[in-house]
Amino acid sequence: NCMPPDNDGAPGTTQYVQYVNLTYEVFDKSGNTLLGPLSGNDFWSGFGGSCETDNSGDPIVRFDAAAQRWVVAQLGLASSGPDYECVAVSTTADATGSYYRYAFPFNDFPDYPKLGVWPDAYYFTFNNWAFGTAFVGANACAADRNNMLAGNAASMQCFQQNSDQSSLLPSDLDGATPPAAGTPNFFMELDPDGSANLDMFQFHVDFTTPANSTFTGPTLIPVAAFTPLCNNFGGHRNCVPQPTAGSDLLEALSDRLMYRLSYRNFGDHTTLLVSHSIVAGSSGGVRWYEIHNPETSPTVFQSGTFAPDSQWRWMPSVAMDQNQDIAVGFSRSGSGSGQYPSIVYAGRAPSDPLGTLESEVVLVAGEGSQISGDIERWGDYTSMTVDPTDDCTFWFTEEYLKSTVLNMGSNWRTAIGSFIFPGCSGTPNFTLSPSP
């Protein structure tokens, strides 16, 4: 009933929740359905207001591993009055159970919401539009995690940016080791002037004394030169080919960094990982970055562009496991026979040469092209996450097509898959023996 699916998903202790535009479903980790599919606004059933009545999509789902809770969010776009970011926090680790529900109002349309889990808050970003037409700018917000976990009234603090700033990402914590106490949340975007920089901001929130909250930056992190795929910086141009005659040229959304901005604390260093889509030769490739120590002196430890052949790769999402293996999931398509948009991933072990990924793996081969007639959208984001139970298993979800249907661009499907690197184990890879 919509296009595109904006698919997102996350693993918990025993479940995986996938949330797409207008619908969500809870699975066990073997793929059996435990609940749903249900309308996205079912989380707010009986809550009242726009969050209950308006099922407006742009969904996000995360598992707060430290608290063992699910956090879900989507838009509630009212026909009159303010628009809302609707947020629900589970009362247990069971995604099929009860939730504390919240509705945070916005005077401007809070488009393209993204969520990062952090010890002191749930951090959000939006692209705000005045009455849905004039771009206001990126909005960086923090919701009171402690009160939300307890089901208490909770506030949200925001720092509205100007129209030069767009599509910020909040950092999202992976792994069992939190950042050092008092570490701000990190926000990042591609440099608005088109130069080869990542712009990093720091958000320190104080819910007790809001006047003490700060949003500072940017710190410019130089990266290797690039050209955004379809050269669509600041726009939504389309260029990704498909093999079927008359099919859409698909949008790349390469004017922005792609969800997630994942953070890890390894003790001797901390990392941020993020990715986006760029021109690579005569096609498109996935650019990814591993940034070390954003708290003190953020530097690019390694980066790479993955484009091993003439097919086009875009819509990436990147994450790292406890062993510092990196996985990047993405869509791949081409104009050659049978090169339908497919769900693919590639990865690297710490022993691999810096900036490189190993051979890619097709998670699901597409079997059709998108022919929508006038809409070239191909999702807004994908989701690469790491299982919190073993901190090794990667989970990825993205869209594909089972067949080509003329003028039926909403004929999409989604898939969920998991994989693990041989070098990673949920238990220590050593033994202890006594000695004098």
PDB file of all heavy atoms in Angstrom, residues 196 198 221-226 272-276 278 286-292 299-306 318 326 328 348 352-357:
ATOM      1  N   ALA A 196      34.972  17.116   0.406  1.00  0.00           N
ATOM      2  CA  ALA A 196      35.242  15.758   0.884  1.00  0.00           C
ATOM      3  C   ALA A 196      35.527  15.781   2.390  1.00  0.00           C
ATOM      4  O   ALA A 196      36.666  15.597   2.837  1.00  0.00           O
ATOM      5  CB  ALA A 196      36.401  15.147   0.118  1.00  0.00           C
ATOM      6  N   LEU A 198      33.531  14.673   6.327  1.00  0.00           N
ATOM      7  CA  LEU A 198      32.420  14.300   7.184  1.00  0.00           C
ATOM      8  C   LEU A 198      32.338  15.352   8.280  1.00  0.00           C
ATOM      9  O   LEU A 198      33.347  15.685   8.900  1.00  0.00           O
ATOM     10  CB  LEU A 198      32.647  12.914   7.801  1.00  0.00           C
ATOM     11  CG  LEU A 198      32.871  11.753   6.830  1.00  0.00           C
ATOM     12  CD1 LEU A 198      33.117  10.461   7.607  1.00  0.00           C
ATOM     13  CD2 LEU A 198      31.692  11.592   5.884  1.00  0.00           C
ATOM     14  N   ILE A 221      36.067  16.167   9.296  1.00  0.00           N
ATOM     15  CA  ILE A 221      36.927  14.997   9.179  1.00  0.00           C
ATOM     16  C   ILE A 221      37.207  14.779   7.695  1.00  0.00           C
ATOM     17  O   ILE A 221      36.321  14.335   6.951  1.00  0.00           O
ATOM     18  CB  ILE A 221      36.257  13.752   9.793  1.00  0.00           C
ATOM     19  CG1 ILE A 221      35.834  14.030  11.240  1.00  0.00           C
ATOM     20  CG2 ILE A 221      37.191  12.549   9.721  1.00  0.00           C
ATOM     21  CD1 ILE A 221      34.995  12.919  11.857  1.00  0.00           C
ATOM     22  N   PRO A 222      38.402  15.099   7.205  1.00  0.00           N
ATOM     23  CA  PRO A 222      38.693  14.932   5.784  1.00  0.00           C
ATOM     24  C   PRO A 222      38.650  13.468   5.358  1.00  0.00           C
ATOM     25  O   PRO A 222      39.111  12.577   6.080  1.00  0.00           O
ATOM     26  CB  PRO A 222      40.108  15.501   5.648  1.00  0.00           C
ATOM     27  CG  PRO A 222      40.308  16.355   6.863  1.00  0.00           C
ATOM     28  CD  PRO A 222      39.521  15.699   7.953  1.00  0.00           C
ATOM     29  N   VAL A 223      38.070  13.218   4.178  1.00  0.00           N
ATOM     30  CA  VAL A 223      37.991  11.873   3.617  1.00  0.00           C
ATOM     31  C   VAL A 223      38.433  11.931   2.162  1.00  0.00           C
ATOM     32  O   VAL A 223      38.633  13.001   1.589  1.00  0.00           O
ATOM     33  CB  VAL A 223      36.559  11.309   3.723  1.00  0.00           C
ATOM     34  CG1 VAL A 223      36.122  11.199   5.179  1.00  0.00           C
ATOM     35  CG2 VAL A 223      35.566  12.156   2.927  1.00  0.00           C
ATOM     36  N   ALA A 224      38.610  10.769   1.560  1.00  0.00           N
ATOM     37  CA  ALA A 224      38.994  10.707   0.151  1.00  0.00           C
ATOM     38  C   ALA A 224      37.911  11.342  -0.716  1.00  0.00           C
ATOM     39  O   ALA A 224      36.712  11.228  -0.422  1.00  0.00           O
ATOM     40  CB  ALA A 224      39.221   9.256  -0.259  1.00  0.00           C
ATOM     41  N   ALA A 225      38.322  12.001  -1.779  1.00  0.00           N
ATOM     42  CA  ALA A 225      37.385  12.687  -2.662  1.00  0.00           C
ATOM     43  C   ALA A 225      36.367  11.710  -3.239  1.00  0.00           C
ATOM     44  O   ALA A 225      36.655  10.521  -3.448  1.00  0.00           O
ATOM     45  CB  ALA A 225      38.156  13.377  -3.789  1.00  0.00           C
ATOM     46  N   PHE A 226      35.174  12.217  -3.506  1.00  0.00           N
ATOM     47  CA  PHE A 226      34.119  11.376  -4.058  1.00  0.00           C
ATOM     48  C   PHE A 226      33.131  12.248  -4.813  1.00  0.00           C
ATOM     49  O   PHE A 226      33.053  13.465  -4.616  1.00  0.00           O
ATOM     50  CB  PHE A 226      33.385  10.606  -2.950  1.00  0.00           C
ATOM     51  CG  PHE A 226      32.670  11.494  -1.961  1.00  0.00           C
ATOM     52  CD1 PHE A 226      31.369  11.933  -2.194  1.00  0.00           C
ATOM     53  CD2 PHE A 226      33.296  11.905  -0.789  1.00  0.00           C
ATOM     54  CE1 PHE A 226      30.717  12.760  -1.295  1.00  0.00           C
ATOM     55  CE2 PHE A 226      32.651  12.729   0.116  1.00  0.00           C
ATOM     56  CZ  PHE A 226      31.352  13.157  -0.129  1.00  0.00           C
ATOM     57  N   LEU A 272      33.480   4.883  15.140  1.00  0.00           N
ATOM     58  CA  LEU A 272      32.243   5.199  14.446  1.00  0.00           C
ATOM     59  C   LEU A 272      32.341   4.603  13.044  1.00  0.00           C
ATOM     60  O   LEU A 272      33.391   4.699  12.397  1.00  0.00           O
ATOM     61  CB  LEU A 272      32.031   6.708  14.332  1.00  0.00           C
ATOM     62  CG  LEU A 272      31.656   7.476  15.590  1.00  0.00           C
ATOM     63  CD1 LEU A 272      31.708   8.983  15.316  1.00  0.00           C
ATOM     64  CD2 LEU A 272      30.265   7.088  16.082  1.00  0.00           C
ATOM     65  N   LEU A 273      31.270   3.985  12.577  1.00  0.00           N
ATOM     66  CA  LEU A 273      31.211   3.465  11.217  1.00  0.00           C
ATOM     67  C   LEU A 273      30.011   4.058  10.508  1.00  0.00           C
ATOM     68  O   LEU A 273      28.922   4.163  11.088  1.00  0.00           O
ATOM     69  CB  LEU A 273      31.106   1.939  11.193  1.00  0.00           C
ATOM     70  CG  LEU A 273      32.405   1.184  11.453  1.00  0.00           C
ATOM     71  CD1 LEU A 273      32.509   0.827  12.923  1.00  0.00           C
ATOM     72  CD2 LEU A 273      32.489  -0.062  10.597  1.00  0.00           C
ATOM     73  N   VAL A 274      30.199   4.422   9.229  1.00  0.00           N
ATOM     74  CA  VAL A 274      29.105   4.980   8.444  1.00  0.00           C
ATOM     75  C   VAL A 274      29.417   4.775   6.968  1.00  0.00           C
ATOM     76  O   VAL A 274      30.578   4.502   6.597  1.00  0.00           O
ATOM     77  CB  VAL A 274      28.911   6.477   8.781  1.00  0.00           C
ATOM     78  CG1 VAL A 274      30.020   7.345   8.165  1.00  0.00           C
ATOM     79  CG2 VAL A 274      27.525   6.969   8.415  1.00  0.00           C
ATOM     80  N   SER A 275      28.404   4.922   6.103  1.00  0.00           N
ATOM     81  CA  SER A 275      28.588   4.633   4.678  1.00  0.00           C
ATOM     82  C   SER A 275      27.651   5.497   3.837  1.00  0.00           C
ATOM     83  O   SER A 275      26.689   6.090   4.342  1.00  0.00           O
ATOM     84  CB  SER A 275      28.315   3.144   4.401  1.00  0.00           C
ATOM     85  OG  SER A 275      26.991   2.791   4.805  1.00  0.00           O
ATOM     86  N   HIS A 276      27.946   5.564   2.534  1.00  0.00           N
ATOM     87  CA  HIS A 276      27.078   6.255   1.579  1.00  0.00           C
ATOM     88  C   HIS A 276      27.397   5.737   0.181  1.00  0.00           C
ATOM     89  O   HIS A 276      28.266   4.873   0.002  1.00  0.00           O
ATOM     90  CB  HIS A 276      27.218   7.778   1.685  1.00  0.00           C
ATOM     91  CG  HIS A 276      28.593   8.317   1.436  1.00  0.00           C
ATOM     92  ND1 HIS A 276      28.882   9.238   0.445  1.00  0.00           N
ATOM     93  CD2 HIS A 276      29.786   8.092   2.058  1.00  0.00           C
ATOM     94  CE1 HIS A 276      30.158   9.565   0.476  1.00  0.00           C
ATOM     95  NE2 HIS A 276      30.733   8.875   1.444  1.00  0.00           N
ATOM     96  N   ILE A 278      28.474   6.366  -3.890  1.00  0.00           N
ATOM     97  CA  ILE A 278      29.240   7.302  -4.706  1.00  0.00           C
ATOM     98  C   ILE A 278      29.414   6.750  -6.124  1.00  0.00           C
ATOM     99  O   ILE A 278      29.162   5.567  -6.388  1.00  0.00           O
ATOM    100  CB  ILE A 278      30.619   7.586  -4.080  1.00  0.00           C
ATOM    101  CG1 ILE A 278      31.523   6.355  -4.162  1.00  0.00           C
ATOM    102  CG2 ILE A 278      30.474   8.053  -2.635  1.00  0.00           C
ATOM    103  CD1 ILE A 278      32.974   6.638  -3.781  1.00  0.00           C
ATOM    104  N   VAL A 286      29.836   1.510  -3.029  1.00  0.00           N
ATOM    105  CA  VAL A 286      29.578   1.783  -1.624  1.00  0.00           C
ATOM    106  C   VAL A 286      30.858   2.324  -0.987  1.00  0.00           C
ATOM    107  O   VAL A 286      31.899   1.667  -1.024  1.00  0.00           O
ATOM    108  CB  VAL A 286      29.111   0.506  -0.902  1.00  0.00           C
ATOM    109  CG1 VAL A 286      29.082   0.712   0.597  1.00  0.00           C
ATOM    110  CG2 VAL A 286      27.751   0.072  -1.426  1.00  0.00           C
ATOM    111  N   ARG A 287      30.787   3.526  -0.429  1.00  0.00           N
ATOM    112  CA  ARG A 287      31.905   4.095   0.310  1.00  0.00           C
ATOM    113  C   ARG A 287      31.619   3.920   1.810  1.00  0.00           C
ATOM    114  O   ARG A 287      30.535   4.253   2.286  1.00  0.00           O
ATOM    115  CB  ARG A 287      32.065   5.573  -0.032  1.00  0.00           C
ATOM    116  CG  ARG A 287      33.049   6.345   0.866  1.00  0.00           C
ATOM    117  CD  ARG A 287      34.497   5.936   0.650  1.00  0.00           C
ATOM    118  NE  ARG A 287      35.001   6.356  -0.633  1.00  0.00           N
ATOM    119  CZ  ARG A 287      35.474   7.573  -0.905  1.00  0.00           C
ATOM    120  NH1 ARG A 287      35.513   8.509   0.046  1.00  0.00           N
ATOM    121  NH2 ARG A 287      35.917   7.870  -2.098  1.00  0.00           N
ATOM    122  N   TRP A 288      32.605   3.406   2.558  1.00  0.00           N
ATOM    123  CA  TRP A 288      32.433   3.191   3.994  1.00  0.00           C
ATOM    124  C   TRP A 288      33.647   3.739   4.745  1.00  0.00           C
ATOM    125  O   TRP A 288      34.741   3.855   4.182  1.00  0.00           O
ATOM    126  CB  TRP A 288      32.232   1.706   4.308  1.00  0.00           C
ATOM    127  CG  TRP A 288      33.357   0.825   3.815  1.00  0.00           C
ATOM    128  CD1 TRP A 288      33.500   0.287   2.567  1.00  0.00           C
ATOM    129  CD2 TRP A 288      34.511   0.401   4.551  1.00  0.00           C
ATOM    130  NE1 TRP A 288      34.659  -0.435   2.472  1.00  0.00           N
ATOM    131  CE2 TRP A 288      35.303  -0.384   3.677  1.00  0.00           C
ATOM    132  CE3 TRP A 288      34.941   0.616   5.856  1.00  0.00           C
ATOM    133  CZ2 TRP A 288      36.511  -0.964   4.083  1.00  0.00           C
ATOM    134  CZ3 TRP A 288      36.144   0.037   6.255  1.00  0.00           C
ATOM    135  CH2 TRP A 288      36.911  -0.741   5.372  1.00  0.00           C
ATOM    136  N   TYR A 289      33.440   4.094   6.015  1.00  0.00           N
ATOM    137  CA  TYR A 289      34.480   4.704   6.840  1.00  0.00           C
ATOM    138  C   TYR A 289      34.490   4.067   8.225  1.00  0.00           C
ATOM    139  O   TYR A 289      33.433   3.785   8.800  1.00  0.00           O
ATOM    140  CB  TYR A 289      34.231   6.204   7.030  1.00  0.00           C
ATOM    141  CG  TYR A 289      34.026   6.992   5.758  1.00  0.00           C
ATOM    142  CD1 TYR A 289      32.739   7.267   5.300  1.00  0.00           C
ATOM    143  CD2 TYR A 289      35.103   7.468   5.019  1.00  0.00           C
ATOM    144  CE1 TYR A 289      32.540   8.002   4.143  1.00  0.00           C
ATOM    145  CE2 TYR A 289      34.911   8.204   3.865  1.00  0.00           C
ATOM    146  CZ  TYR A 289      33.633   8.461   3.423  1.00  0.00           C
ATOM    147  OH  TYR A 289      33.439   9.188   2.272  1.00  0.00           O
ATOM    148  N   GLU A 290      35.696   3.870   8.753  1.00  0.00           N
ATOM    149  CA  GLU A 290      35.883   3.543  10.165  1.00  0.00           C
ATOM    150  C   GLU A 290      36.663   4.694  10.791  1.00  0.00           C
ATOM    151  O   GLU A 290      37.819   4.948  10.445  1.00  0.00           O
ATOM    152  CB  GLU A 290      36.643   2.234  10.355  1.00  0.00           C
ATOM    153  CG  GLU A 290      36.874   1.894  11.828  1.00  0.00           C
ATOM    154  CD  GLU A 290      37.682   0.626  12.046  1.00  0.00           C
ATOM    155  OE1 GLU A 290      37.887  -0.145  11.072  1.00  0.00           O
ATOM    156  OE2 GLU A 290      38.139   0.404  13.192  1.00  0.00           O
ATOM    157  N   ILE A 291      36.031   5.406  11.707  1.00  0.00           N
ATOM    158  CA  ILE A 291      36.609   6.583  12.350  1.00  0.00           C
ATOM    159  C   ILE A 291      36.951   6.240  13.783  1.00  0.00           C
ATOM    160  O   ILE A 291      36.129   5.657  14.508  1.00  0.00           O
ATOM    161  CB  ILE A 291      35.611   7.756  12.302  1.00  0.00           C
ATOM    162  CG1 ILE A 291      35.307   8.109  10.845  1.00  0.00           C
ATOM    163  CG2 ILE A 291      36.144   8.969  13.045  1.00  0.00           C
ATOM    164  CD1 ILE A 291      34.017   8.833  10.665  1.00  0.00           C
ATOM    165  N   HIS A 292      38.159   6.561  14.211  1.00  0.00           N
ATOM    166  CA  HIS A 292      38.604   6.256  15.568  1.00  0.00           C
ATOM    167  C   HIS A 292      38.558   7.502  16.456  1.00  0.00           C
ATOM    168  O   HIS A 292      38.813   8.614  16.011  1.00  0.00           O
ATOM    169  CB  HIS A 292      40.020   5.695  15.539  1.00  0.00           C
ATOM    170  CG  HIS A 292      40.081   4.248  15.192  1.00  0.00           C
ATOM    171  ND1 HIS A 292      41.194   3.459  15.409  1.00  0.00           N
ATOM    172  CD2 HIS A 292      39.139   3.413  14.661  1.00  0.00           C
ATOM    173  CE1 HIS A 292      40.959   2.215  15.008  1.00  0.00           C
ATOM    174  NE2 HIS A 292      39.722   2.169  14.542  1.00  0.00           N
ATOM    175  N   THR A 299      39.702  10.615  13.624  1.00  0.00           N
ATOM    176  CA  THR A 299      40.497  10.388  12.421  1.00  0.00           C
ATOM    177  C   THR A 299      39.960   9.176  11.679  1.00  0.00           C
ATOM    178  O   THR A 299      39.411   8.244  12.290  1.00  0.00           O
ATOM    179  CB  THR A 299      41.983  10.142  12.758  1.00  0.00           C
ATOM    180  OG1 THR A 299      42.076   9.038  13.677  1.00  0.00           O
ATOM    181  CG2 THR A 299      42.614  11.369  13.390  1.00  0.00           C
ATOM    182  N   VAL A 300      40.113   9.193  10.372  1.00  0.00           N
ATOM    183  CA  VAL A 300      39.705   8.049   9.564  1.00  0.00           C
ATOM    184  C   VAL A 300      40.781   6.979   9.670  1.00  0.00           C
ATOM    185  O   VAL A 300      41.872   7.122   9.111  1.00  0.00           O
ATOM    186  CB  VAL A 300      39.478   8.457   8.102  1.00  0.00           C
ATOM    187  CG1 VAL A 300      39.110   7.233   7.267  1.00  0.00           C
ATOM    188  CG2 VAL A 300      38.375   9.510   8.002  1.00  0.00           C
ATOM    189  N   PHE A 301      40.484   5.914  10.403  1.00  0.00           N
ATOM    190  CA  PHE A 301      41.419   4.803  10.526  1.00  0.00           C
ATOM    191  C   PHE A 301      41.523   4.042   9.209  1.00  0.00           C
ATOM    192  O   PHE A 301      42.613   3.643   8.792  1.00  0.00           O
ATOM    193  CB  PHE A 301      40.967   3.876  11.654  1.00  0.00           C
ATOM    194  CG  PHE A 301      41.761   2.603  11.763  1.00  0.00           C
ATOM    195  CD1 PHE A 301      43.066   2.623  12.225  1.00  0.00           C
ATOM    196  CD2 PHE A 301      41.201   1.381  11.392  1.00  0.00           C
ATOM    197  CE1 PHE A 301      43.803   1.453  12.317  1.00  0.00           C
ATOM    198  CE2 PHE A 301      41.934   0.211  11.481  1.00  0.00           C
ATOM    199  CZ  PHE A 301      43.236   0.240  11.949  1.00  0.00           C
ATOM    200  N   GLN A 302      40.373   3.840   8.557  1.00  0.00           N
ATOM    201  CA  GLN A 302      40.371   3.216   7.236  1.00  0.00           C
ATOM    202  C   GLN A 302      39.063   3.569   6.539  1.00  0.00           C
ATOM    203  O   GLN A 302      38.052   3.876   7.170  1.00  0.00           O
ATOM    204  CB  GLN A 302      40.530   1.695   7.320  1.00  0.00           C
ATOM    205  CG  GLN A 302      39.405   0.977   8.045  1.00  0.00           C
ATOM    206  CD  GLN A 302      39.504  -0.531   7.923  1.00  0.00           C
ATOM    207  OE1 GLN A 302      39.986  -1.087   6.927  1.00  0.00           O
ATOM    208  NE2 GLN A 302      39.035  -1.232   8.961  1.00  0.00           N
ATOM    209  N   SER A 303      39.094   3.536   5.225  1.00  0.00           N
ATOM    210  CA  SER A 303      37.900   3.701   4.415  1.00  0.00           C
ATOM    211  C   SER A 303      38.123   2.992   3.098  1.00  0.00           C
ATOM    212  O   SER A 303      39.260   2.693   2.718  1.00  0.00           O
ATOM    213  CB  SER A 303      37.589   5.183   4.186  1.00  0.00           C
ATOM    214  OG  SER A 303      38.541   5.764   3.311  1.00  0.00           O
ATOM    215  N   GLY A 304      37.044   2.727   2.407  1.00  0.00           N
ATOM    216  CA  GLY A 304      37.155   2.052   1.122  1.00  0.00           C
ATOM    217  C   GLY A 304      35.921   2.273   0.285  1.00  0.00           C
ATOM    218  O   GLY A 304      34.858   2.659   0.790  1.00  0.00           O
ATOM    219  N   THR A 305      36.070   2.039  -1.007  1.00  0.00           N
ATOM    220  CA  THR A 305      34.947   2.067  -1.942  1.00  0.00           C
ATOM    221  C   THR A 305      34.813   0.687  -2.539  1.00  0.00           C
ATOM    222  O   THR A 305      35.752   0.180  -3.159  1.00  0.00           O
ATOM    223  CB  THR A 305      35.157   3.107  -3.048  1.00  0.00           C
ATOM    224  OG1 THR A 305      35.287   4.402  -2.461  1.00  0.00           O
ATOM    225  CG2 THR A 305      33.990   3.110  -4.013  1.00  0.00           C
ATOM    226  N   PHE A 306      33.651   0.073  -2.345  1.00  0.00           N
ATOM    227  CA  PHE A 306      33.439  -1.284  -2.839  1.00  0.00           C
ATOM    228  C   PHE A 306      32.684  -1.225  -4.154  1.00  0.00           C
ATOM    229  O   PHE A 306      31.512  -0.862  -4.204  1.00  0.00           O
ATOM    230  CB  PHE A 306      32.668  -2.120  -1.819  1.00  0.00           C
ATOM    231  CG  PHE A 306      32.591  -3.580  -2.181  1.00  0.00           C
ATOM    232  CD1 PHE A 306      33.720  -4.383  -2.077  1.00  0.00           C
ATOM    233  CD2 PHE A 306      31.411  -4.140  -2.637  1.00  0.00           C
ATOM    234  CE1 PHE A 306      33.666  -5.731  -2.410  1.00  0.00           C
ATOM    235  CE2 PHE A 306      31.341  -5.480  -2.972  1.00  0.00           C
ATOM    236  CZ  PHE A 306      32.476  -6.280  -2.863  1.00  0.00           C
ATOM    237  N   VAL A 318      26.230  -0.256   7.469  1.00  0.00           N
ATOM    238  CA  VAL A 318      27.479  -0.868   7.922  1.00  0.00           C
ATOM    239  C   VAL A 318      27.452  -1.059   9.428  1.00  0.00           C
ATOM    240  O   VAL A 318      26.849  -0.270  10.156  1.00  0.00           O
ATOM    241  CB  VAL A 318      28.700  -0.004   7.492  1.00  0.00           C
ATOM    242  CG1 VAL A 318      28.620   1.385   8.087  1.00  0.00           C
ATOM    243  CG2 VAL A 318      30.014  -0.683   7.849  1.00  0.00           C
ATOM    244  N   ILE A 326      33.885  -6.198  10.000  1.00  0.00           N
ATOM    245  CA  ILE A 326      32.970  -5.194   9.463  1.00  0.00           C
ATOM    246  C   ILE A 326      32.120  -5.837   8.370  1.00  0.00           C
ATOM    247  O   ILE A 326      32.627  -6.587   7.529  1.00  0.00           O
ATOM    248  CB  ILE A 326      33.739  -3.991   8.897  1.00  0.00           C
ATOM    249  CG1 ILE A 326      34.434  -3.224  10.025  1.00  0.00           C
ATOM    250  CG2 ILE A 326      32.814  -3.053   8.113  1.00  0.00           C
ATOM    251  CD1 ILE A 326      35.318  -2.095   9.550  1.00  0.00           C
ATOM    252  N   VAL A 328      29.042  -4.793   5.435  1.00  0.00           N
ATOM    253  CA  VAL A 328      28.294  -3.755   4.727  1.00  0.00           C
ATOM    254  C   VAL A 328      27.245  -4.441   3.871  1.00  0.00           C
ATOM    255  O   VAL A 328      27.568  -5.282   3.026  1.00  0.00           O
ATOM    256  CB  VAL A 328      29.211  -2.901   3.829  1.00  0.00           C
ATOM    257  CG1 VAL A 328      28.428  -1.733   3.244  1.00  0.00           C
ATOM    258  CG2 VAL A 328      30.419  -2.400   4.594  1.00  0.00           C
ATOM    259  N   ARG A 348      34.791  -7.701   5.983  1.00  0.00           N
ATOM    260  CA  ARG A 348      36.232  -7.816   6.142  1.00  0.00           C
ATOM    261  C   ARG A 348      36.552  -8.234   7.562  1.00  0.00           C
ATOM    262  O   ARG A 348      35.827  -7.916   8.510  1.00  0.00           O
ATOM    263  CB  ARG A 348      36.915  -6.489   5.823  1.00  0.00           C
ATOM    264  CG  ARG A 348      36.657  -5.382   6.838  1.00  0.00           C
ATOM    265  CD  ARG A 348      37.399  -4.094   6.475  1.00  0.00           C
ATOM    266  NE  ARG A 348      38.799  -4.294   6.166  1.00  0.00           N
ATOM    267  CZ  ARG A 348      39.758  -4.412   7.065  1.00  0.00           C
ATOM    268  NH1 ARG A 348      39.466  -4.358   8.364  1.00  0.00           N
ATOM    269  NH2 ARG A 348      41.005  -4.585   6.696  1.00  0.00           N
ATOM    270  N   ASP A 352      42.517  -8.421   7.203  1.00  0.00           N
ATOM    271  CA  ASP A 352      42.502  -8.031   5.795  1.00  0.00           C
ATOM    272  C   ASP A 352      43.192  -6.684   5.610  1.00  0.00           C
ATOM    273  O   ASP A 352      43.249  -5.875   6.536  1.00  0.00           O
ATOM    274  CB  ASP A 352      41.062  -7.940   5.281  1.00  0.00           C
ATOM    275  CG  ASP A 352      40.377  -9.290   5.192  1.00  0.00           C
ATOM    276  OD1 ASP A 352      41.082 -10.295   5.004  1.00  0.00           O
ATOM    277  OD2 ASP A 352      39.134  -9.340   5.315  1.00  0.00           O
ATOM    278  N   PRO A 353      43.707  -6.410   4.422  1.00  0.00           N
ATOM    279  CA  PRO A 353      44.323  -5.107   4.168  1.00  0.00           C
ATOM    280  C   PRO A 353      43.340  -3.974   4.448  1.00  0.00           C
ATOM    281  O   PRO A 353      42.143  -4.082   4.133  1.00  0.00           O
ATOM    282  CB  PRO A 353      44.704  -5.174   2.688  1.00  0.00           C
ATOM    283  CG  PRO A 353      44.836  -6.633   2.391  1.00  0.00           C
ATOM    284  CD  PRO A 353      43.823  -7.317   3.253  1.00  0.00           C
ATOM    285  N   LEU A 354      43.821  -2.902   5.035  1.00  0.00           N
ATOM    286  CA  LEU A 354      42.965  -1.776   5.378  1.00  0.00           C
ATOM    287  C   LEU A 354      42.232  -1.246   4.142  1.00  0.00           C
ATOM    288  O   LEU A 354      42.787  -1.187   3.046  1.00  0.00           O
ATOM    289  CB  LEU A 354      43.778  -0.652   6.018  1.00  0.00           C
ATOM    290  CG  LEU A 354      44.357  -0.919   7.405  1.00  0.00           C
ATOM    291  CD1 LEU A 354      45.179   0.267   7.867  1.00  0.00           C
ATOM    292  CD2 LEU A 354      43.254  -1.231   8.410  1.00  0.00           C
ATOM    293  N   GLY A 355      40.976  -0.876   4.330  1.00  0.00           N
ATOM    294  CA  GLY A 355      40.194  -0.276   3.262  1.00  0.00           C
ATOM    295  C   GLY A 355      39.612  -1.244   2.268  1.00  0.00           C
ATOM    296  O   GLY A 355      39.039  -0.815   1.258  1.00  0.00           O
ATOM    297  N   THR A 356      39.735  -2.554   2.520  1.00  0.00           N
ATOM    298  CA  THR A 356      39.248  -3.551   1.567  1.00  0.00           C
ATOM    299  C   THR A 356      38.118  -4.365   2.174  1.00  0.00           C
ATOM    300  O   THR A 356      38.035  -4.546   3.386  1.00  0.00           O
ATOM    301  CB  THR A 356      40.364  -4.505   1.133  1.00  0.00           C
ATOM    302  OG1 THR A 356      40.826  -5.270   2.271  1.00  0.00           O
ATOM    303  CG2 THR A 356      41.536  -3.734   0.544  1.00  0.00           C
ATOM    304  N   LEU A 357      37.264  -4.870   1.298  1.00  0.00           N
ATOM    305  CA  LEU A 357      36.241  -5.843   1.658  1.00  0.00           C
ATOM    306  C   LEU A 357      36.492  -7.118   0.863  1.00  0.00           C
ATOM    307  O   LEU A 357      36.990  -7.071  -0.266  1.00  0.00           O
ATOM    308  CB  LEU A 357      34.837  -5.312   1.358  1.00  0.00           C
ATOM    309  CG  LEU A 357      34.393  -4.035   2.076  1.00  0.00           C
ATOM    310  CD1 LEU A 357      32.990  -3.630   1.613  1.00  0.00           C
ATOM    311  CD2 LEU A 357      34.423  -4.208   3.583  1.00  0.00           C
TER     312      LEU A 357
END
